[in-house]
Amino acid sequence: MPIDPKDLIELIDAALAADYTRVRRMATGAARTLEKDGAVDAATELRALVRKRGVPLRASGYMESLPVDAKSRLPLVEEQPWPGNPLFLNEEAARTFQDFLGDVENIDKLSSKGLASRLALMLSGPPGTGKTLLAGHVAARLNRPFYVVRLDSVISSLLGDTAKNIRTVFDYVPSKNAVLFLDEMDAVAKLRDDRHELGELKRVVNTVIQGLDSLDEHAVVVGATNHPQLLDSAIWRRFPYKIELKTPETEVRADLWRYFLFEDKDDDARAEDLAVISDGLSGADIETVALTARRHALLDNRELDLGTVALAIMNTRAGRTSMPQKEPLESDQKRQLAIALKDKGELTVTNIARLLNVTRQSVYLYLKPEGDTSHG
Ligand SMILES: Nc1ncnc2c1ncn2[C@@H]1O[C@H](COP(=O)(O)OP(=O)(O)O)[C@@H](O)[C@H]1O
Ligand SMILES: [Mg+2]
C-alpha cells in the first residue's frame, strides 16, 4: 500500500500534537486499508499496536476525563496495557477462563434464551499467582481496553468520599466497553477495623453491590482478592465465575521455568528438575529468580548457573526469599546443596548432577558422610 503523503503528514501532525484519538482513528483506517489489500498480518499487528500503545492517557491530557479522587486528585481508574507475557494455568483454571471468554462472546445468544449470567469473574489466590495477569489476558482476548481500579486506593481517600468514588467508577466505565478490573477487593472488608464504624463498611459494601448491579449485561468485570474469606458473601455471590489461583503445580512450574529461564528453548529436563524442587513458589517468585539468574549470566558473560537457581529456590522454600547469587556456586556450596536436595528426596543423583553441572561421581562424593574417605 503506497502511503498517501497527505495521510503521512496528518499522522505526524496528530502524533506531535499528542492527539491520540486522531492517531488511533488514522491507524484504524490504515488497518482497514491494509486488510482490503490482503495484508492481514500487518492489519492485525497494527490493531494490536493501537490497543497496546494507545493508552498514555496521562501524557495526552486525556487524564482530565479519568475520574479522580476529590482530595488526592489521584485517578480512581487507570487504563493499563495488555500483558506482554503468556499466562500459564492448570487445566481447571484454563477451562474456566475459556468458558468465561466464550460466554462473553456469546452473551447475546445466551441472553436471547434467558441463559446469560452476569459476566463477572472472581480471582482468588496468594500474591504473585497471576491474578492481575489473568485479568489483563481477559481484556486482550476480548480486544477491549483494560481498566484497573484498586479498591484500596479508592477507599483510603477522605472518609465519606469512598462511596462517592465507587459510584463514580461504576458510572464511568460501562460506557467504555472495557474490562473493568477491581483489584484488592478485600480492601472493602478491611474497613472492619476500629477506625471505621460498622455503618460505613456497610455503606461501602452496598455501594459496590449497587455498582455491580447497575452494569448492563454486556459489561465484563473481573475481581481479585488475596483473602477470599474476608470478602462479603453478597459481593461473592455477584461473581458467578470463579478461578482459584493457587501456587502453581509441578507442570505449570515447568512451563514457567521454561519460559522465564530457558526462553522456551528445549531445556525440558532441567526445567522439569527445577519444577520438581520449586513447590510453593509463585509464578512471580519463579519469574524473579529466573530473570536474576539470566541477568547474572549475561553481564558476566557466562552460561546460566542452575546451581545458584536451585540454591535460591531452596532458600525461598525455607521462608527466606532469596535471589540467585552472582557468582557460580563454590564446591562447598555445591556439597551442601546436593545434601539438601537429596534430603528432600525429590531428585535422583542423576538429576542433582545435571542441575549442579557435575558428574554423578561428584554427587556421590558430596553425599558421603564427613570424614568417610572410602570408595564405592
Ligand atoms: N500463572 C502465571 N503465568 C505466567 N506468569 C505468571 C503467572 N503467575 C505469575 N506470573 C508472573 O508474575 C507476575 C506477577 O503476577 P501478578 O499477576 O501481578 O500476580 P497477582 O496479581 O496474583 O499478585 C506476572 O506479571 C507474571 O510475569
Ligand atoms: Mg495483582
PDB file of all heavy atoms in Angstrom, residues 83 85-90 125-135 137 181 183-184 224 226 245-246 248 252 256 259-260 282-285 287-288, ligand 1:
ATOM      1  N   PRO A  83      -1.150  -7.380  28.763  1.00  0.00           N
ATOM      2  CA  PRO A  83       0.110  -8.029  29.161  1.00  0.00           C
ATOM      3  C   PRO A  83       0.906  -8.514  27.949  1.00  0.00           C
ATOM      4  O   PRO A  83       0.337  -8.882  26.928  1.00  0.00           O
ATOM      5  CB  PRO A  83      -0.347  -9.220  30.007  1.00  0.00           C
ATOM      6  CG  PRO A  83      -1.812  -9.331  29.877  1.00  0.00           C
ATOM      7  CD  PRO A  83      -2.339  -8.111  29.219  1.00  0.00           C
ATOM      8  N   ASN A  85       3.348 -10.904  28.429  1.00  0.00           N
ATOM      9  CA  ASN A  85       3.788 -12.274  28.731  1.00  0.00           C
ATOM     10  C   ASN A  85       2.642 -13.254  28.621  1.00  0.00           C
ATOM     11  O   ASN A  85       1.502 -12.901  28.871  1.00  0.00           O
ATOM     12  CB  ASN A  85       4.329 -12.358  30.163  1.00  0.00           C
ATOM     13  CG  ASN A  85       5.735 -11.816  30.264  1.00  0.00           C
ATOM     14  OD1 ASN A  85       6.408 -11.604  29.254  1.00  0.00           O
ATOM     15  ND2 ASN A  85       6.169 -11.583  31.477  1.00  0.00           N
ATOM     16  N   PRO A  86       2.980 -14.500  28.291  1.00  0.00           N
ATOM     17  CA  PRO A  86       1.927 -15.520  28.289  1.00  0.00           C
ATOM     18  C   PRO A  86       1.482 -15.839  29.711  1.00  0.00           C
ATOM     19  O   PRO A  86       2.160 -15.504  30.680  1.00  0.00           O
ATOM     20  CB  PRO A  86       2.610 -16.734  27.659  1.00  0.00           C
ATOM     21  CG  PRO A  86       4.051 -16.553  27.924  1.00  0.00           C
ATOM     22  CD  PRO A  86       4.281 -15.063  27.935  1.00  0.00           C
ATOM     23  N   LEU A  87       0.333 -16.501  29.794  1.00  0.00           N
ATOM     24  CA  LEU A  87      -0.251 -16.882  31.078  1.00  0.00           C
ATOM     25  C   LEU A  87      -0.255 -18.399  31.138  1.00  0.00           C
ATOM     26  O   LEU A  87      -0.689 -19.043  30.193  1.00  0.00           O
ATOM     27  CB  LEU A  87      -1.686 -16.336  31.112  1.00  0.00           C
ATOM     28  CG  LEU A  87      -2.614 -16.788  32.212  1.00  0.00           C
ATOM     29  CD1 LEU A  87      -2.170 -16.206  33.546  1.00  0.00           C
ATOM     30  CD2 LEU A  87      -4.046 -16.338  31.899  1.00  0.00           C
ATOM     31  N   PHE A  88       0.261 -18.955  32.218  1.00  0.00           N
ATOM     32  CA  PHE A  88       0.255 -20.412  32.360  1.00  0.00           C
ATOM     33  C   PHE A  88      -0.731 -20.805  33.445  1.00  0.00           C
ATOM     34  O   PHE A  88      -0.647 -20.311  34.569  1.00  0.00           O
ATOM     35  CB  PHE A  88       1.655 -20.931  32.703  1.00  0.00           C
ATOM     36  CG  PHE A  88       2.675 -20.581  31.663  1.00  0.00           C
ATOM     37  CD1 PHE A  88       3.629 -19.600  31.906  1.00  0.00           C
ATOM     38  CD2 PHE A  88       2.667 -21.204  30.423  1.00  0.00           C
ATOM     39  CE1 PHE A  88       4.562 -19.251  30.946  1.00  0.00           C
ATOM     40  CE2 PHE A  88       3.603 -20.866  29.453  1.00  0.00           C
ATOM     41  CZ  PHE A  88       4.553 -19.890  29.717  1.00  0.00           C
ATOM     42  N   LEU A  89      -1.660 -21.674  33.082  1.00  0.00           N
ATOM     43  CA  LEU A  89      -2.701 -22.076  34.033  1.00  0.00           C
ATOM     44  C   LEU A  89      -2.807 -23.588  34.077  1.00  0.00           C
ATOM     45  O   LEU A  89      -2.474 -24.261  33.093  1.00  0.00           O
ATOM     46  CB  LEU A  89      -4.058 -21.524  33.585  1.00  0.00           C
ATOM     47  CG  LEU A  89      -4.234 -20.008  33.549  1.00  0.00           C
ATOM     48  CD1 LEU A  89      -5.596 -19.660  32.956  1.00  0.00           C
ATOM     49  CD2 LEU A  89      -4.089 -19.418  34.947  1.00  0.00           C
ATOM     50  N   ASN A  90      -3.295 -24.113  35.194  1.00  0.00           N
ATOM     51  CA  ASN A  90      -3.591 -25.549  35.199  1.00  0.00           C
ATOM     52  C   ASN A  90      -4.878 -25.773  34.403  1.00  0.00           C
ATOM     53  O   ASN A  90      -5.558 -24.817  34.018  1.00  0.00           O
ATOM     54  CB  ASN A  90      -3.664 -26.100  36.625  1.00  0.00           C
ATOM     55  CG  ASN A  90      -4.837 -25.545  37.414  1.00  0.00           C
ATOM     56  OD1 ASN A  90      -5.848 -25.113  36.853  1.00  0.00           O
ATOM     57  ND2 ASN A  90      -4.701 -25.537  38.721  1.00  0.00           N
ATOM     58  N   GLY A 125      -6.481 -15.936  45.344  1.00  0.00           N
ATOM     59  CA  GLY A 125      -5.206 -16.644  45.476  1.00  0.00           C
ATOM     60  C   GLY A 125      -4.149 -15.742  46.039  1.00  0.00           C
ATOM     61  O   GLY A 125      -4.301 -14.519  46.045  1.00  0.00           O
ATOM     62  N   PRO A 126      -3.050 -16.356  46.505  1.00  0.00           N
ATOM     63  CA  PRO A 126      -1.974 -15.568  47.122  1.00  0.00           C
ATOM     64  C   PRO A 126      -1.323 -14.599  46.134  1.00  0.00           C
ATOM     65  O   PRO A 126      -1.508 -14.739  44.914  1.00  0.00           O
ATOM     66  CB  PRO A 126      -0.966 -16.627  47.584  1.00  0.00           C
ATOM     67  CG  PRO A 126      -1.459 -17.948  47.124  1.00  0.00           C
ATOM     68  CD  PRO A 126      -2.793 -17.785  46.493  1.00  0.00           C
ATOM     69  N   PRO A 127      -0.575 -13.626  46.647  1.00  0.00           N
ATOM     70  CA  PRO A 127       0.099 -12.665  45.768  1.00  0.00           C
ATOM     71  C   PRO A 127       1.031 -13.368  44.780  1.00  0.00           C
ATOM     72  O   PRO A 127       1.611 -14.403  45.104  1.00  0.00           O
ATOM     73  CB  PRO A 127       0.927 -11.809  46.735  1.00  0.00           C
ATOM     74  CG  PRO A 127       0.332 -12.030  48.081  1.00  0.00           C
ATOM     75  CD  PRO A 127      -0.314 -13.373  48.070  1.00  0.00           C
ATOM     76  N   GLY A 128       1.141 -12.802  43.611  1.00  0.00           N
ATOM     77  CA  GLY A 128       2.108 -13.314  42.641  1.00  0.00           C
ATOM     78  C   GLY A 128       1.677 -14.553  41.890  1.00  0.00           C
ATOM     79  O   GLY A 128       2.492 -15.198  41.231  1.00  0.00           O
ATOM     80  N   THR A 129       0.398 -14.911  41.979  1.00  0.00           N
ATOM     81  CA  THR A 129      -0.042 -16.116  41.281  1.00  0.00           C
ATOM     82  C   THR A 129      -0.700 -15.811  39.938  1.00  0.00           C
ATOM     83  O   THR A 129      -1.248 -16.696  39.291  1.00  0.00           O
ATOM     84  CB  THR A 129      -1.025 -16.932  42.152  1.00  0.00           C
ATOM     85  OG1 THR A 129      -2.040 -16.052  42.650  1.00  0.00           O
ATOM     86  CG2 THR A 129      -0.301 -17.571  43.318  1.00  0.00           C
ATOM     87  N   GLY A 130      -0.673 -14.540  39.519  1.00  0.00           N
ATOM     88  CA  GLY A 130      -1.124 -14.223  38.168  1.00  0.00           C
ATOM     89  C   GLY A 130      -2.535 -13.670  38.061  1.00  0.00           C
ATOM     90  O   GLY A 130      -3.119 -13.692  36.973  1.00  0.00           O
ATOM     91  N   LYS A 131      -3.082 -13.147  39.141  1.00  0.00           N
ATOM     92  CA  LYS A 131      -4.447 -12.623  39.077  1.00  0.00           C
ATOM     93  C   LYS A 131      -4.532 -11.402  38.153  1.00  0.00           C
ATOM     94  O   LYS A 131      -5.380 -11.346  37.263  1.00  0.00           O
ATOM     95  CB  LYS A 131      -4.946 -12.257  40.485  1.00  0.00           C
ATOM     96  CG  LYS A 131      -5.039 -13.461  41.411  1.00  0.00           C
ATOM     97  CD  LYS A 131      -5.605 -13.108  42.779  1.00  0.00           C
ATOM     98  CE  LYS A 131      -4.704 -12.205  43.589  1.00  0.00           C
ATOM     99  NZ  LYS A 131      -3.376 -12.774  43.877  1.00  0.00           N
ATOM    100  N   THR A 132      -3.644 -10.440  38.374  1.00  0.00           N
ATOM    101  CA  THR A 132      -3.647  -9.254  37.522  1.00  0.00           C
ATOM    102  C   THR A 132      -3.334  -9.635  36.077  1.00  0.00           C
ATOM    103  O   THR A 132      -3.956  -9.137  35.136  1.00  0.00           O
ATOM    104  CB  THR A 132      -2.621  -8.231  38.058  1.00  0.00           C
ATOM    105  OG1 THR A 132      -2.958  -7.897  39.401  1.00  0.00           O
ATOM    106  CG2 THR A 132      -2.623  -6.962  37.217  1.00  0.00           C
ATOM    107  N   LEU A 133      -2.395 -10.561  35.927  1.00  0.00           N
ATOM    108  CA  LEU A 133      -2.026 -11.019  34.586  1.00  0.00           C
ATOM    109  C   LEU A 133      -3.224 -11.654  33.882  1.00  0.00           C
ATOM    110  O   LEU A 133      -3.508 -11.363  32.712  1.00  0.00           O
ATOM    111  CB  LEU A 133      -0.880 -12.035  34.708  1.00  0.00           C
ATOM    112  CG  LEU A 133      -0.337 -12.617  33.409  1.00  0.00           C
ATOM    113  CD1 LEU A 133       0.340 -11.537  32.587  1.00  0.00           C
ATOM    114  CD2 LEU A 133       0.647 -13.759  33.699  1.00  0.00           C
ATOM    115  N   LEU A 134      -3.957 -12.487  34.608  1.00  0.00           N
ATOM    116  CA  LEU A 134      -5.113 -13.147  34.005  1.00  0.00           C
ATOM    117  C   LEU A 134      -6.164 -12.117  33.590  1.00  0.00           C
ATOM    118  O   LEU A 134      -6.716 -12.184  32.489  1.00  0.00           O
ATOM    119  CB  LEU A 134      -5.704 -14.169  34.981  1.00  0.00           C
ATOM    120  CG  LEU A 134      -6.697 -15.182  34.415  1.00  0.00           C
ATOM    121  CD1 LEU A 134      -6.780 -16.400  35.325  1.00  0.00           C
ATOM    122  CD2 LEU A 134      -8.093 -14.636  34.186  1.00  0.00           C
ATOM    123  N   ALA A 135      -6.410 -11.143  34.465  1.00  0.00           N
ATOM    124  CA  ALA A 135      -7.401 -10.113  34.137  1.00  0.00           C
ATOM    125  C   ALA A 135      -6.995  -9.375  32.851  1.00  0.00           C
ATOM    126  O   ALA A 135      -7.822  -9.106  31.980  1.00  0.00           O
ATOM    127  CB  ALA A 135      -7.538  -9.135  35.298  1.00  0.00           C
ATOM    128  N   HIS A 137      -5.211 -10.593  30.467  1.00  0.00           N
ATOM    129  CA  HIS A 137      -5.416 -11.502  29.338  1.00  0.00           C
ATOM    130  C   HIS A 137      -6.883 -11.558  28.925  1.00  0.00           C
ATOM    131  O   HIS A 137      -7.188 -11.718  27.745  1.00  0.00           O
ATOM    132  CB  HIS A 137      -4.898 -12.903  29.668  1.00  0.00           C
ATOM    133  CG  HIS A 137      -3.435 -13.069  29.365  1.00  0.00           C
ATOM    134  ND1 HIS A 137      -2.976 -13.531  28.149  1.00  0.00           N
ATOM    135  CD2 HIS A 137      -2.328 -12.785  30.090  1.00  0.00           C
ATOM    136  CE1 HIS A 137      -1.652 -13.555  28.159  1.00  0.00           C
ATOM    137  NE2 HIS A 137      -1.229 -13.095  29.327  1.00  0.00           N
ATOM    138  N   PHE A 181     -11.443  -4.106  35.938  1.00  0.00           N
ATOM    139  CA  PHE A 181     -10.743  -4.982  36.876  1.00  0.00           C
ATOM    140  C   PHE A 181     -10.737  -4.354  38.263  1.00  0.00           C
ATOM    141  O   PHE A 181     -10.147  -3.285  38.467  1.00  0.00           O
ATOM    142  CB  PHE A 181      -9.313  -5.230  36.387  1.00  0.00           C
ATOM    143  CG  PHE A 181      -8.491  -6.100  37.317  1.00  0.00           C
ATOM    144  CD1 PHE A 181      -9.008  -7.280  37.832  1.00  0.00           C
ATOM    145  CD2 PHE A 181      -7.200  -5.745  37.662  1.00  0.00           C
ATOM    146  CE1 PHE A 181      -8.260  -8.096  38.687  1.00  0.00           C
ATOM    147  CE2 PHE A 181      -6.434  -6.545  38.514  1.00  0.00           C
ATOM    148  CZ  PHE A 181      -6.968  -7.717  39.022  1.00  0.00           C
ATOM    149  N   ASP A 183      -9.307  -4.664  41.629  1.00  0.00           N
ATOM    150  CA  ASP A 183      -8.226  -5.346  42.336  1.00  0.00           C
ATOM    151  C   ASP A 183      -8.361  -5.106  43.838  1.00  0.00           C
ATOM    152  O   ASP A 183      -8.964  -4.120  44.250  1.00  0.00           O
ATOM    153  CB  ASP A 183      -6.880  -4.813  41.822  1.00  0.00           C
ATOM    154  CG  ASP A 183      -5.777  -5.846  41.981  1.00  0.00           C
ATOM    155  OD1 ASP A 183      -6.050  -6.941  42.515  1.00  0.00           O
ATOM    156  OD2 ASP A 183      -4.637  -5.556  41.565  1.00  0.00           O
ATOM    157  N   GLU A 184      -7.802  -6.011  44.616  1.00  0.00           N
ATOM    158  CA  GLU A 184      -7.787  -5.852  46.083  1.00  0.00           C
ATOM    159  C   GLU A 184      -9.199  -5.673  46.627  1.00  0.00           C
ATOM    160  O   GLU A 184      -9.473  -4.758  47.403  1.00  0.00           O
ATOM    161  CB  GLU A 184      -6.935  -4.637  46.500  1.00  0.00           C
ATOM    162  CG  GLU A 184      -5.610  -4.509  45.792  1.00  0.00           C
ATOM    163  CD  GLU A 184      -4.533  -5.422  46.382  1.00  0.00           C
ATOM    164  OE1 GLU A 184      -4.688  -5.864  47.539  1.00  0.00           O
ATOM    165  OE2 GLU A 184      -3.563  -5.708  45.674  1.00  0.00           O
ATOM    166  N   ALA A 224     -10.463  -9.363  42.041  1.00  0.00           N
ATOM    167  CA  ALA A 224      -9.366 -10.164  42.578  1.00  0.00           C
ATOM    168  C   ALA A 224      -9.226  -9.940  44.066  1.00  0.00           C
ATOM    169  O   ALA A 224      -9.466  -8.838  44.559  1.00  0.00           O
ATOM    170  CB  ALA A 224      -8.050  -9.825  41.882  1.00  0.00           C
ATOM    171  N   ASN A 226      -6.756 -11.432  47.584  1.00  0.00           N
ATOM    172  CA  ASN A 226      -5.797 -12.342  48.217  1.00  0.00           C
ATOM    173  C   ASN A 226      -6.424 -13.032  49.418  1.00  0.00           C
ATOM    174  O   ASN A 226      -5.849 -13.953  49.978  1.00  0.00           O
ATOM    175  CB  ASN A 226      -4.571 -11.570  48.741  1.00  0.00           C
ATOM    176  CG  ASN A 226      -3.788 -10.900  47.639  1.00  0.00           C
ATOM    177  OD1 ASN A 226      -3.833 -11.327  46.500  1.00  0.00           O
ATOM    178  ND2 ASN A 226      -3.066  -9.847  47.985  1.00  0.00           N
ATOM    179  N   LEU A 245      -6.539 -19.258  42.020  1.00  0.00           N
ATOM    180  CA  LEU A 245      -5.158 -19.403  41.557  1.00  0.00           C
ATOM    181  C   LEU A 245      -4.287 -19.772  42.749  1.00  0.00           C
ATOM    182  O   LEU A 245      -3.932 -18.930  43.551  1.00  0.00           O
ATOM    183  CB  LEU A 245      -4.686 -18.094  40.911  1.00  0.00           C
ATOM    184  CG  LEU A 245      -5.340 -17.785  39.580  1.00  0.00           C
ATOM    185  CD1 LEU A 245      -5.123 -16.343  39.186  1.00  0.00           C
ATOM    186  CD2 LEU A 245      -4.803 -18.700  38.498  1.00  0.00           C
ATOM    187  N   LYS A 246      -3.982 -21.046  42.836  1.00  0.00           N
ATOM    188  CA  LYS A 246      -3.098 -21.473  43.923  1.00  0.00           C
ATOM    189  C   LYS A 246      -1.660 -21.274  43.453  1.00  0.00           C
ATOM    190  O   LYS A 246      -1.422 -20.943  42.294  1.00  0.00           O
ATOM    191  CB  LYS A 246      -3.359 -22.943  44.237  1.00  0.00           C
ATOM    192  CG  LYS A 246      -4.788 -23.173  44.715  1.00  0.00           C
ATOM    193  CD  LYS A 246      -5.020 -24.637  44.953  1.00  0.00           C
ATOM    194  CE  LYS A 246      -6.007 -25.272  44.120  1.00  0.00           C
ATOM    195  NZ  LYS A 246      -6.804 -25.640  43.314  1.00  0.00           N
ATOM    196  N   PRO A 248       1.461 -22.493  41.756  1.00  0.00           N
ATOM    197  CA  PRO A 248       1.340 -23.412  40.619  1.00  0.00           C
ATOM    198  C   PRO A 248       1.800 -24.850  40.908  1.00  0.00           C
ATOM    199  O   PRO A 248       2.708 -25.073  41.699  1.00  0.00           O
ATOM    200  CB  PRO A 248       2.238 -22.761  39.564  1.00  0.00           C
ATOM    201  CG  PRO A 248       3.110 -21.799  40.298  1.00  0.00           C
ATOM    202  CD  PRO A 248       2.364 -21.376  41.505  1.00  0.00           C
ATOM    203  N   VAL A 252       2.785 -26.657  35.714  1.00  0.00           N
ATOM    204  CA  VAL A 252       2.756 -25.217  35.437  1.00  0.00           C
ATOM    205  C   VAL A 252       4.113 -24.594  35.784  1.00  0.00           C
ATOM    206  O   VAL A 252       4.625 -23.734  35.065  1.00  0.00           O
ATOM    207  CB  VAL A 252       1.610 -24.535  36.206  1.00  0.00           C
ATOM    208  CG1 VAL A 252       1.614 -23.033  35.961  1.00  0.00           C
ATOM    209  CG2 VAL A 252       0.264 -25.133  35.806  1.00  0.00           C
ATOM    210  N   LEU A 256       6.632 -22.347  33.535  1.00  0.00           N
ATOM    211  CA  LEU A 256       7.167 -21.048  33.971  1.00  0.00           C
ATOM    212  C   LEU A 256       8.692 -21.032  33.870  1.00  0.00           C
ATOM    213  O   LEU A 256       9.278 -20.074  33.368  1.00  0.00           O
ATOM    214  CB  LEU A 256       6.720 -20.744  35.398  1.00  0.00           C
ATOM    215  CG  LEU A 256       5.228 -20.404  35.576  1.00  0.00           C
ATOM    216  CD1 LEU A 256       4.791 -20.606  37.022  1.00  0.00           C
ATOM    217  CD2 LEU A 256       4.951 -18.964  35.137  1.00  0.00           C
ATOM    218  N   TYR A 259       9.743 -20.895  30.247  1.00  0.00           N
ATOM    219  CA  TYR A 259       9.548 -19.586  29.618  1.00  0.00           C
ATOM    220  C   TYR A 259      10.509 -18.536  30.176  1.00  0.00           C
ATOM    221  O   TYR A 259      11.197 -17.836  29.431  1.00  0.00           O
ATOM    222  CB  TYR A 259       8.098 -19.118  29.797  1.00  0.00           C
ATOM    223  CG  TYR A 259       7.871 -17.748  29.213  1.00  0.00           C
ATOM    224  CD1 TYR A 259       7.739 -17.581  27.830  1.00  0.00           C
ATOM    225  CD2 TYR A 259       7.830 -16.613  30.022  1.00  0.00           C
ATOM    226  CE1 TYR A 259       7.567 -16.322  27.287  1.00  0.00           C
ATOM    227  CE2 TYR A 259       7.655 -15.345  29.487  1.00  0.00           C
ATOM    228  CZ  TYR A 259       7.522 -15.211  28.115  1.00  0.00           C
ATOM    229  OH  TYR A 259       7.371 -13.960  27.569  1.00  0.00           O
ATOM    230  N   PHE A 260      10.564 -18.413  31.490  1.00  0.00           N
ATOM    231  CA  PHE A 260      11.326 -17.307  32.076  1.00  0.00           C
ATOM    232  C   PHE A 260      12.828 -17.579  32.129  1.00  0.00           C
ATOM    233  O   PHE A 260      13.624 -16.664  32.000  1.00  0.00           O
ATOM    234  CB  PHE A 260      10.817 -16.982  33.487  1.00  0.00           C
ATOM    235  CG  PHE A 260       9.496 -16.253  33.496  1.00  0.00           C
ATOM    236  CD1 PHE A 260       8.367 -16.829  34.052  1.00  0.00           C
ATOM    237  CD2 PHE A 260       9.387 -14.981  32.930  1.00  0.00           C
ATOM    238  CE1 PHE A 260       7.156 -16.152  34.055  1.00  0.00           C
ATOM    239  CE2 PHE A 260       8.176 -14.297  32.930  1.00  0.00           C
ATOM    240  CZ  PHE A 260       7.061 -14.896  33.494  1.00  0.00           C
ATOM    241  N   SER A 282       5.534 -19.008  43.859  1.00  0.00           N
ATOM    242  CA  SER A 282       4.505 -18.453  42.970  1.00  0.00           C
ATOM    243  C   SER A 282       5.108 -18.190  41.595  1.00  0.00           C
ATOM    244  O   SER A 282       6.333 -18.232  41.426  1.00  0.00           O
ATOM    245  CB  SER A 282       3.975 -17.150  43.550  1.00  0.00           C
ATOM    246  OG  SER A 282       4.981 -16.154  43.461  1.00  0.00           O
ATOM    247  N   GLY A 283       4.250 -17.888  40.643  1.00  0.00           N
ATOM    248  CA  GLY A 283       4.736 -17.520  39.313  1.00  0.00           C
ATOM    249  C   GLY A 283       5.669 -16.319  39.376  1.00  0.00           C
ATOM    250  O   GLY A 283       6.694 -16.278  38.698  1.00  0.00           O
ATOM    251  N   ALA A 284       5.302 -15.355  40.229  1.00  0.00           N
ATOM    252  CA  ALA A 284       6.136 -14.159  40.347  1.00  0.00           C
ATOM    253  C   ALA A 284       7.505 -14.514  40.950  1.00  0.00           C
ATOM    254  O   ALA A 284       8.528 -13.980  40.523  1.00  0.00           O
ATOM    255  CB  ALA A 284       5.431 -13.111  41.198  1.00  0.00           C
ATOM    256  N   ASP A 285       7.531 -15.427  41.935  1.00  0.00           N
ATOM    257  CA  ASP A 285       8.813 -15.875  42.516  1.00  0.00           C
ATOM    258  C   ASP A 285       9.697 -16.476  41.424  1.00  0.00           C
ATOM    259  O   ASP A 285      10.887 -16.169  41.313  1.00  0.00           O
ATOM    260  CB  ASP A 285       8.588 -16.975  43.578  1.00  0.00           C
ATOM    261  CG  ASP A 285       7.917 -16.455  44.845  1.00  0.00           C
ATOM    262  OD1 ASP A 285       8.077 -15.258  45.149  1.00  0.00           O
ATOM    263  OD2 ASP A 285       7.251 -17.262  45.526  1.00  0.00           O
ATOM    264  N   GLU A 287       9.546 -16.116  38.216  1.00  0.00           N
ATOM    265  CA  GLU A 287       9.980 -15.093  37.256  1.00  0.00           C
ATOM    266  C   GLU A 287      11.189 -14.321  37.801  1.00  0.00           C
ATOM    267  O   GLU A 287      12.187 -14.135  37.098  1.00  0.00           O
ATOM    268  CB  GLU A 287       8.829 -14.128  36.964  1.00  0.00           C
ATOM    269  CG  GLU A 287       9.249 -12.986  36.049  1.00  0.00           C
ATOM    270  CD  GLU A 287       8.140 -11.952  35.814  1.00  0.00           C
ATOM    271  OE1 GLU A 287       7.139 -11.958  36.564  1.00  0.00           O
ATOM    272  OE2 GLU A 287       8.288 -11.147  34.889  1.00  0.00           O
ATOM    273  N   THR A 288      11.101 -13.885  39.048  1.00  0.00           N
ATOM    274  CA  THR A 288      12.180 -13.065  39.603  1.00  0.00           C
ATOM    275  C   THR A 288      13.487 -13.854  39.698  1.00  0.00           C
ATOM    276  O   THR A 288      14.551 -13.350  39.318  1.00  0.00           O
ATOM    277  CB  THR A 288      11.797 -12.557  41.009  1.00  0.00           C
ATOM    278  OG1 THR A 288      10.432 -12.192  40.994  1.00  0.00           O
ATOM    279  CG2 THR A 288      12.622 -11.371  41.398  1.00  0.00           C
TER     280      THR A 288
HETATM  281  N1  LIG B   1       0.385 -18.254  36.106  1.00  0.00           N
HETATM  282  C1  LIG B   1       1.318 -17.410  35.624  1.00  0.00           C
HETATM  283  N2  LIG B   1       1.703 -17.484  34.326  1.00  0.00           N
HETATM  284  C2  LIG B   1       2.635 -16.654  33.829  1.00  0.00           C
HETATM  285  N3  LIG B   1       3.248 -15.697  34.550  1.00  0.00           N
HETATM  286  C3  LIG B   1       2.918 -15.571  35.855  1.00  0.00           C
HETATM  287  C4  LIG B   1       1.945 -16.410  36.457  1.00  0.00           C
HETATM  288  N4  LIG B   1       1.806 -16.048  37.744  1.00  0.00           N
HETATM  289  C5  LIG B   1       2.656 -15.027  37.941  1.00  0.00           C
HETATM  290  N5  LIG B   1       3.337 -14.731  36.813  1.00  0.00           N
HETATM  291  C6  LIG B   1       4.340 -13.673  36.662  1.00  0.00           C
HETATM  292  O1  LIG B   1       4.353 -12.910  37.863  1.00  0.00           O
HETATM  293  C7  LIG B   1       3.951 -11.565  37.615  1.00  0.00           C
HETATM  294  C8  LIG B   1       3.114 -11.043  38.767  1.00  0.00           C
HETATM  295  O2  LIG B   1       1.876 -11.690  38.798  1.00  0.00           O
HETATM  296  P1  LIG B   1       0.527 -10.899  39.114  1.00  0.00           P
HETATM  297  O3  LIG B   1      -0.444 -11.159  38.024  1.00  0.00           O
HETATM  298  O4  LIG B   1       0.806  -9.487  39.433  1.00  0.00           O
HETATM  299  O5  LIG B   1       0.062 -11.663  40.441  1.00  0.00           O
HETATM  300  P2  LIG B   1      -1.111 -11.258  41.450  1.00  0.00           P
HETATM  301  O6  LIG B   1      -1.952 -10.229  40.780  1.00  0.00           O
HETATM  302  O7  LIG B   1      -1.820 -12.565  41.686  1.00  0.00           O
HETATM  303  O8  LIG B   1      -0.429 -10.771  42.670  1.00  0.00           O
HETATM  304  C9  LIG B   1       3.192 -11.624  36.320  1.00  0.00           C
HETATM  305  O9  LIG B   1       3.236 -10.399  35.648  1.00  0.00           O
HETATM  306  C10 LIG B   1       3.949 -12.704  35.554  1.00  0.00           C
HETATM  307  O10 LIG B   1       5.108 -12.193  34.949  1.00  0.00           O
END
